[in-house]
Amino acid sequence: MTQRPKVFAYYFPDWHKDPRNASWFGDAWDEWQLVKSATPRFDGHRQPRQPAAGYFDESDPEIASEQISLARSHGVDGFLVDFYWYDDGHYLNAALDRGLLAAENSSDVTIALMWANHELVDIFPLSVSSDERPRRLRDGAIDRAAFERMARHVVQNYFTQPNYYRVEGKPWFSIYEIGNLVTGLGGIDETHDALRWFDDLARAAGFAGVHLDAVIWGVDLLPRSVATIGSESTDVDPVDLVPSLGFSSVTSYVWVHHAEIAEFDFPRADMAALRESAFDEYEDYAGRLAVPFHPNVTVGWDSSPRLAPAVPFVPGDYPAYPVWDSTPEEFGEGLRRARRFVSEHPTPHPIVTINAWNEWSEGSMLLPDTHHGDGFLRQVLEVFGPVENADATDRVLDAEDEGREPLEPVSASGSEEVR
């Protein structure tokens, strides 16, 4: 029987007022300002993109409750929340702390963290030409003391949440940039020691340890500092670091991490080619890794809102990338491709990630907009079925994969193993 994978959408939490943003950009600023001010850059360019629900404050628990209901009713099991922690503490935390976790129906979705430990530079919007260095806001590489402060905060405030995702009793924790992790902690051996300490910390709090997940990508995307891995070159293959650092699984964040951007047409590029580029690399990872690899499906891509309107839209570094403006039907093809992948590469706890729930300024969002409505969400429900009928959906997927008529879904029995 094909086991229905957990479907997790990455959640980008910059749709509320934050003290750091206020100090950098002004008291009234949130990333909705970029979405509102986006302009068409070529004929047929679909900008600005408008959320069907309007420009809301995600830290409002009532708003969060509506998003949770929307996710749950369309087959999304939960959110992998982009978690920001720098040397002096957290950033963009109110979406989770005051929003998702405070919502009255918070328990209806599973929550886990993806530590977005990349360098933060001023792309809000980028107002310098491609040959100039944008202003650095925070360094993503943090030292052992800052790492330990972060780990204690995570264990005490998030791992203890009843709806936090656990794999065999181990709370899930993804890390976005292995290179920055190793750079900040001082080397591979030092990073292994820090991650082992993190695991011990979780065990002391009553868990079975930490399920460490590495986000792997083949192509750098966001502008960031030139990092070194101890005394080693950044050419070290992250895949080779997975076993030595003790990661339990590997995931992907977005398809553009697995594509040579310069090889695609500009300004509008082909979604099917991007999908195949990503899955070719996924197949390579699955063949080389000794731990499970969980595939990603990307809704679309358009990072032009992070480029100031006065800056020419010409091929270059992020955010001057091609636009992949997907349709719900094209997105559905990606979901079915991911479903085949997890069937062909079975793991004890299969997962499909989606980029993203709400990456409005990068053109990749499941949330309804005024053009496609809830079309992308309906594709998730169509391909994977409802969350509460996971057992019945397994039978439907088996039948479809075998080319026979599926059985009618029935209510699922039993309880979730890893909630």
Side-chain angles (χ1 to χ4, degrees):
M1 175 181 292
T2 302
Q3 183 181 355
R4 180 192 185 276
K6 295 280 189 185
V7 179
F8 289 139
Y10 286 109
Y11 186 107
F12 176 62
D14 204 9
W15 314 106
H16 66 280
K17 303 297 186 293
D18 179 88
R20 287 188 195 260
N21 284 339
S23 68
W24 292 325
F25 313 121
D27 291 343
W29 194 91
D30 57 25
E31 200 148 343
W32 287 125
Q33 312 312 313
L34 302 187
V35 177
K36 294 175 184 178
S37 61
T39 58
R41 297 302 193 118
F42 54 88
D43 186 35
H45 187 198
R46 192 166 60 86
Q47 287 291 353
R49 302 192 185 187
Q50 298 176 313
Y55 303 102
F56 51 80
D57 177 359
E58 64 185 340
S59 67
D60 182 336
E62 292 186 6
I63 295 294
S65 179
E66 294 172 3
Q67 294 195 77
I68 290 168
S69 294
L70 197 61
R72 177 79 182 191
S73 63
H74 286 84
V76 177
D77 292 80
F79 299 126
L80 295 178
V81 180
D82 295 357
F83 175 70
Y84 293 85
W85 187 282
Y86 297 107
D87 57 351
D88 58 350
H90 53 61
Y91 169 55
L92 301 179
N93 59 302
L96 181 58
D97 295 348
R98 298 204 311 260
L100 294 173
L101 291 178
E104 62 179 5
N105 59 346
S106 179
S107 61
D108 285 351
V109 291
T110 302
I111 298 291
L113 299 183
M114 193 280 295
W115 181 24
N117 63 327
H118 59 77
E119 179 191 36
L120 187 66
V121 297
D122 190 356
I123 49 173
F124 305 104
L126 181 67
S127 57
V128 298
S129 62
S130 60
D131 59 348
E132 296 179 81
R133 176 71 180 165
R135 175 176 58 133
R136 174 192 276 185
L137 302 173
R138 300 306 303 172
D139 191 350
I142 66 174
D143 64 17
R144 177 66 178 261
F147 177 85
E148 290 190 4
R149 289 193 296 272
M150 182 270 295
R152 289 191 177 94
H153 182 85
V154 166
V155 171
Q156 294 169 7
N157 293 278
Y158 302 120
F159 285 3
T160 54
Q161 296 291 331
N163 60 330
Y164 197 93
Y165 183 59
R166 303 184 187 99
V167 179
E168 297 174 353
K170 298 180 179 181
W172 171 289
F173 189 78
S174 288
I175 300 177
Y176 184 72
E177 279 198 3
I178 296 179
N180 264 356
L181 176 74
V182 176
T183 298
L185 292 173
I188 294 173
D189 290 343
E190 291 84 353
T191 301
H192 180 270
D193 184 71
L195 294 177
R196 185 174 57 186
W197 173 88
F198 188 15
D199 191 76
D200 289 342
L201 180 71
R203 291 177 185 276
F207 303 104
V210 179
H211 181 100
L212 289 170
D213 173 76
V215 178
I216 296 292
W217 29 321
V219 180
D220 285 355
L221 179 65
L222 291 173
R224 57 180 181 147
S225 59
V226 177
T228 58
I229 299 178
S231 60
E232 301 165 58
S233 166
T234 52
D235 291 336
V236 172
D237 190 338
V239 172
D240 295 335
L241 291 177
V242 167
S244 61
L245 295 179
F247 285 95
S248 300
S249 65
V250 171
T251 50
S252 163
Y253 188 73
V254 65
W255 284 349
V256 293
H257 283 177
H258 309 279
E260 293 292 345
I261 302 299
E263 296 179 0
F264 286 82
D265 292 337
F266 187 94
R268 189 192 300 274
D270 180 64
M271 197 71 186
L274 181 64
R275 178 178 68 242
E276 291 311 307
S277 176
F279 275 95
D280 285 348
E281 198 154 271
Y282 295 171
E283 291 290 345
D284 176 65
Y285 291 158
R288 295 167 58 198
L289 289 163
V291 297
F293 175 80
H294 304 298
N296 173 262
V297 182
T298 297
V299 177
W301 184 269
D302 184 356
S303 51
S304 65
R306 286 186 170 169
L307 190 69
V311 178
F313 188 58
V314 295
D317 293 334
Y318 179 94
Y321 273 33
V323 172
W324 286 270
D325 191 5
S326 180
T327 65
E329 291 72 26
E330 287 173 320
F331 174 61
E333 285 299 313
L335 295 175
R336 283 184 281 275
R337 181 69 182 84
R339 193 185 78 184
R340 291 197 301 273
F341 184 94
V342 297
S343 177
E344 293 165 359
H345 303 282
T347 64
H349 306 285
I351 290 171
V352 170
T353 69
I354 294 176
N355 184 287
W357 181 252
N358 57 351
E359 286 272 19
W360 290 96
S361 47
E362 288 185 337
S364 192
M365 56 278 179
L366 284 174
L367 279 174
D369 68 5
T370 56
H371 184 77
H372 289 299
D374 64 351
F376 295 108
L377 278 170
R378 284 189 282 109
Q379 288 292 325
V380 178
L381 186 61
E382 179 178 319
V383 173
F384 292 110
V387 174
E388 60 269 28
N389 284 347
D391 290 348
T393 303
D394 291 342
R395 290 190 287 275
V396 172
L397 298 190
D398 278 342
E400 290 178 351
D401 290 340
E402 295 170 9
R404 57 183 170 81
E405 192 70 21
L407 299 173
E408 287 296 320
V410 296
S411 297
S413 61
S415 58
E416 291 283 331
E417 177 186 354
V418 291
R419 281 290 290 270

